[in-house]
Amino acid sequence: MTKPLVVLSSARSGTNYFLSVFQKMAPNGVVLREVFRKGGDSLPELIALTGMPRSQLVAMGQDDPVALWGILRDAAGTRPLALKIFYYHARPSSPIWDRLIDEARIVHLVRRRVLDTFVSRKLAETTGAWFQPADVGTLPARPEVRLDPAELSAFITERQGYVQRFRERFQDADLHEVSYEDIAADPKLCADWIARVTGLPIPAVPLQLPIRKQNTWAIRDIVSNYDEIAAFDKAHL
């Protein structure tokens, strides 16, 4: 794999799951997360990788993402490099988008059921848990949320707009689109897809991931006002 791999997506769309599978397939690789987000969430890894101070990395991620991209590529060397960027992590006019189009293999990870994305976000906001470690023995009790139909409708429209705009913007890139629903049932499905796109070997042993799916309940069982939002319970992408 010669090109860095960049997962283009939005929050609560399976990016941590995807990158966890990738890490298992490239154990010597440099796998980061939201390096271009304000504040970032990979700062310890970035500091260890680059030797740069935290304050400089934070500033560069926001003010000079192209320079940070170059530093990451140089620091990774011949090792596989993978990270993620969300549609809203950089301004539409930021030069980072054109640099990624020119230099990266883009995985456009889309969650077709936008309602599931919305519910996942609401559950995380309610519980304060944004991921579920695999080694937690006891699953949480069945959650319950109430959804605002108008807020949900606006969220779906926003996500549809993001996906369409970035499909158009990246149409000439090394772009590979996959839906979360097609790879989520089993890490082997995700590994098979990654192998086809990157050429990385599939591990011979079962993939044991450090995280697991947070919500295993049906939407109608955890949304208290399901009747009000039932019309949205379908694929939108």
Side-chain angles (χ1 to χ4, degrees), residues 6 25 38 48 72 94 122 145 200 219 237:
V6 174
M25 298 175 68
K38 186 177 182 180
L72 296 180
S94 173
K122 289 298 182 183
V145 293
L200 287 171
I219 295 295
L237 296 172

Side-chain angles (χ1 to χ4, degrees), residues 127-213:
T127 63
W130 291 88
F131 67 94
Q132 183 72 46
D135 57 0
V136 174
T138 303
L139 291 174
R142 186 182 72 177
E144 184 174 286
V145 293
R146 182 177 182 83
L147 304 181
D148 180 338
E151 183 185 3
L152 171 57
S153 179
F155 182 84
I156 291 172
T157 299
E158 178 188 57
R159 285 299 180 272
Q160 289 174 322
Y162 278 136
V163 168
Q164 183 58 37
R165 287 194 297 275
F166 278 85
R167 279 174 175 164
E168 294 172 356
R169 185 162 192 171
F170 280 76
Q171 61 183 336
D172 295 325
D174 183 3
L175 180 67
H176 306 266
E177 184 167 298
V178 62
S179 68
Y180 172 74
E181 288 84 355
D182 290 341
I183 59 174
D186 187 334
K188 179 65 163 54
L189 294 173
C190 188
D192 287 343
W193 190 91
I194 292 172
R196 289 195 300 272
V197 170
T198 66
L200 287 171
I202 300 173
V205 297
L207 294 170
Q208 300 294 325
L209 304 183
I211 59 173
R212 64 184 176 189
K213 191 174 182 180

Side-chain angles (χ1 to χ4, degrees), residues 33-63:
R33 295 180 298 278
E34 301 170 38
V35 298
F36 301 116
R37 188 190 78 188
K38 186 177 182 180
D41 68 349
S42 293
L43 288 172
E45 295 89 341
L46 290 175
I47 293 169
L49 178 66
T50 66
M52 296 170 60
R54 178 189 181 97
S55 59
Q56 186 176 358
L57 289 166
V58 170
M60 189 173 290
Q62 283 295 288
D63 301 330

Side-chain angles (χ1 to χ4, degrees), residues 99-117:
R99 185 60 62 92
L100 296 180
I101 288 171
D102 291 339
E103 299 180 0
R105 175 178 287 119
I106 307 296
V107 172
H108 192 196
L109 181 56
V110 175
R111 198 167 185 173
R112 291 194 301 261
R113 288 178 47 83
V114 184
L115 171 61
D116 292 353
T117 304

